[in-house]
Amino acid sequence: MSSALRGIFNCSNCTGRQMPLVSALTLCCSTKMKSEFRNWSDVRIFLAVFREGSTLAASRKLDIAQPTVARRIDALEHELKTVLFERDTRGFKPTQTARTLYPLAETMEIAARAFADKTGELTSARPIRITAYSGNFSPKANDIFSAFSAEHPDVRFEFLPGVKVLDLTAGEADVALRITRQQPAPELICRKISTARYALYGSTAYAEKHGLPASVNELEGHTFVSFERQDVPRYLHDWLLKHVAREQILLTFSEVELMHAAVRSGHGLGLMNLRMADAETDLLRCFDPIEELSAEHMMLVSPEAYRRPEVKAFTKFFAPRYAALYK
């Protein structure tokens, strides 16, 4: 380092005390750090003085002491190294610089409000959104929801019944009760409930009129109803197409409830979940469950939702009780 940089200078504010010189790089970085503007509260005060025309009126608008408002305007001008207001006995008159900066300050105000609103939305109490096939919301399952609500009266639920597979990672729902043959996304929190099994069923009316097949080899001569839609895996429908002629499938529905209703009405045979179909006295199982159609019944939870205390408490309460229904 040169002798000049090692030199000593006299500071006018230090009454003769000597202070060492700093390197140009250090001085540059220090100046940059000090001049970097990032104080939203001062911009808020700037907007109030601009709009109200004086620090006194702005102090009333902001519910801040008038000397504080005046001091913060002085500090903002010092930080920005410019004059924002011309002061006179009639108040504060914005300079051309202030008028140029005003739209940008308004943009900051809008962003700050949006930030506060979104923060409030994310931290406020929200319902736990649960998606499942409507049959999963059985009376016994609803009893579990009621028991949880009795212990946690402030927690609300939003039920999203349907067979469409909602994207938990995208926030379309918080919890899913899902029957699937696919591995769930690895980031989801997963609890296995049971193994869902399927068989072919017909109504007593159909059996009286047409009889029931006793095996897969006796499907010829019978009629069938099926379920098919683009946003749902179609392995049940594909199994039918593999074992019966297409013309034997008289009706195809995009809603599971309608397909089940068609089976009950005797329009044809249909593949149904054992646990749901065996509980209905007017439905008859044709033959043993079709093991190749078995799927995993799971409770899936979004990791983002699981961070919420009420969701964590609900899953801990609900999962073992719900699983007990399927033992």
Side-chain angles (χ1 to χ4, degrees):
M1 183 182 295
S2 68
S3 58
L5 290 179
R6 295 195 190 93
I8 304 297
F9 77 101
N10 290 327
C11 175
S12 61
N13 296 325
C14 300
T15 61
R17 287 185 298 158
Q18 292 183 328
M19 297 181 64
L21 285 172
V22 295
S23 71
L25 178 60
T26 301
L27 182 60
C28 176
C29 292
S30 174
T31 303
K32 181 179 179 181
M33 289 295 291
K34 289 180 180 178
S35 64
E36 185 178 352
F37 169 72
R38 51 173 173 264
N39 193 336
W40 155 244
S41 63
D42 285 351
V43 175
R44 177 170 168 262
I45 291 174
F46 161 75
L47 286 170
V49 173
F50 190 104
R51 292 163 178 165
E52 303 300 321
S54 72
T55 56
L56 179 60
S59 70
R60 293 170 179 164
K61 186 75 173 179
L62 299 171
D63 196 22
I64 299 175
Q66 188 271 340
T68 300
V69 173
R71 186 170 63 252
R72 295 315 306 161
I73 290 296
D74 289 343
L76 181 59
E77 289 181 328
H78 178 75
E79 184 176 11
L80 297 178
K81 297 180 176 59
T82 189
V83 176
L84 298 172
F85 298 99
E86 299 290 348
R87 283 81 160 166
D88 59 31
T89 56
R90 292 173 295 178
F92 278 46
K93 181 180 179 181
T95 62
Q96 182 57 47
T97 298
R99 287 192 289 271
T100 301
L101 293 176
Y102 180 77
L104 300 176
E106 279 193 315
T107 301
M108 292 180 67
E109 180 182 45
I110 294 170
R113 287 176 178 170
F115 183 88
D117 291 344
K118 179 56 69 173
T119 300
E121 176 186 325
L122 294 174
T123 56
S124 62
R126 289 174 285 158
I128 301 175
R129 296 166 301 156
I130 302 177
T131 176
Y133 166 59
S134 58
N136 290 100
F137 298 123
S138 65
K140 290 183 178 180
N142 286 329
D143 288 342
I144 303 175
F145 288 111
S146 298
F148 180 82
S149 295
E151 295 185 14
H152 304 270
D154 295 334
V155 177
R156 296 179 295 116
F157 293 98
E158 180 180 345
F159 299 105
L160 307 171
V163 293
K164 180 181 178 181
V165 179
L166 300 184
D167 189 345
L168 300 185
T169 58
E172 293 183 342
D174 300 319
V175 178
L177 304 175
R178 186 172 295 167
I179 294 176
T180 179
R181 302 175 72 193
Q182 299 177 343
Q183 287 296 317
E187 62 269 24
L188 296 178
I189 298 160
C190 176
R191 165 71 185 265
K192 180 179 176 180
I193 301 300
S194 66
T195 297
R197 304 170 73 200
Y198 293 85
L200 193 65
Y201 287 84
S203 68
T204 53
Y206 182 96
E208 290 172 0
K209 188 173 182 179
H210 305 286
L212 296 176
S215 71
V216 177
N217 297 323
E218 299 180 14
L219 300 182
E220 188 176 353
H222 289 279
T223 57
F224 300 85
V225 296
S226 186
F227 163 76
E228 180 188 23
R229 55 187 286 175
Q230 292 183 346
D231 54 358
V232 177
R234 44 176 282 165
Y235 57 92
L236 297 179
H237 184 69
D238 288 343
W239 186 91
L240 275 181
L241 290 177
K242 180 180 177 182
H243 292 89
V244 306
R246 186 176 293 274
E247 56 268 20
Q248 289 179 258
I249 304 176
L250 298 185
L251 299 169
T252 301
F253 298 92
S254 61
E255 297 296 334
V256 174
E257 292 86 352
L258 295 178
M259 190 273 281
H260 289 177
V263 175
R264 295 187 196 97
S265 299
H267 293 297
L269 307 177
L271 293 168
M272 299 179 67
N273 183 291
L274 258 68
R275 187 164 295 275
M276 295 180 181
D278 282 349
E280 300 191 29
T281 57
D282 60 336
L283 291 179
L284 302 174
R285 191 194 305 175
C286 298
F287 44 83
D288 290 341
I290 305 166
E291 296 303 332
E292 65 186 278
L293 295 179
S294 295
E296 297 301 318
H297 185 181
M298 297 181 179
M299 179 178 181
L300 305 174
V301 187
S302 154
E304 182 68 26
Y306 195 70
R307 296 187 185 99
R308 293 158 50 192
E310 70 275 18
V311 175
K312 186 176 293 186
F314 167 72
T315 56
K316 183 178 180 181
F317 180 95
F318 183 81
R321 292 167 173 81
Y322 183 68
L325 299 179
Y326 293 87
K327 288 184 178 179

